[in-house]
Amino acid sequence: MSTDDTGARGITLNSIDRQSIRELVRQDAERMVEVARAGGNVYQTSLDRQDEISNFAAKLNDADQQKFYTIYAEELRASTNTQTDQLTAIHAKSHDDLVKNINSSSQVSTWISLIVLFIILSSVITMYRS
């Protein structure tokens, strides 16, 4: 429906609809991941993007602006919830793996302790026999 003139990172939407805005949010999320991986300032990039979004929305008529911001907020919330769910799943898997490693280490420690105890007992028995 409208294109702003902010350059390569500008916003282009053919219409103000959920699918278009969802794609916009998805692309922005990918961009934030790229910036983070490159060691960039995610917060500054996010603020710059919000300025671009505000500039885009300012060019819309009141009805489209209202519709855009409503859908945009909903899609941001959905994207954030999805990312939170993914991180929670990763955290749970990491936690489970850590518990397995601790249990495995505990079993190894138990066996080592038993072997050391056996060696000590053998040494004590050998000393008493002598």
Side-chain angles (χ1 to χ4, degrees):
M1 176 167 255
S2 178
T3 304
D4 75 354
D5 55 10
T6 59
R9 291 295 304 145
I11 299 168
T12 303
L13 294 177
N14 293 328
S15 63
I16 306 297
D17 63 7
R18 185 164 302 281
Q19 193 58 40
S20 298
I21 296 170
R22 181 175 293 152
E23 180 61 18
L24 173 69
V25 169
R26 186 195 64 74
Q27 289 174 359
D28 287 351
E30 284 181 4
R31 173 75 177 131
M32 292 305 138
V33 169
E34 291 171 8
V35 169
R37 284 185 179 151
N41 187 329
V42 174
Y43 305 107
Q44 185 177 25
T45 302
S46 178
L47 290 173
D48 292 345
R49 188 57 171 167
Q50 281 307 121
D51 289 345
E52 292 172 354
I53 290 185
S54 293
N55 289 337
F56 169 80
K59 295 175 183 176
L60 300 173
N61 64 48
D62 289 343
D64 283 346
Q65 191 177 74
Q66 171 87 20
K67 183 178 179 181
F68 173 78
Y69 276 128
T70 298
I71 296 171
Y72 183 74
E74 292 168 353
E75 290 301 323
L76 273 179
R77 190 170 32 257
S79 176
T80 301
N81 290 342
T82 298
Q83 291 171 12
T84 299
D85 291 347
Q86 290 170 346
L87 288 173
T88 300
I90 290 168
H91 176 72
K93 184 180 179 335
S94 296
H95 178 266
D96 290 346
D97 290 347
L98 180 61
V99 168
K100 286 177 187 174
N101 288 340
I102 289 171
N103 287 339
S104 177
S105 296
S106 176
Q107 290 172 354
V108 169
S109 297
T110 300
W111 279 107
I112 290 172
S113 297
L114 288 172
I115 291 169
V116 168
L117 179 62
F118 178 75
I119 291 170
I120 291 172
L121 286 174
S122 295
S123 297
V124 168
I125 290 172
T126 303
M127 281 182 9
Y128 280 118
R129 286 187 174 172
S130 309

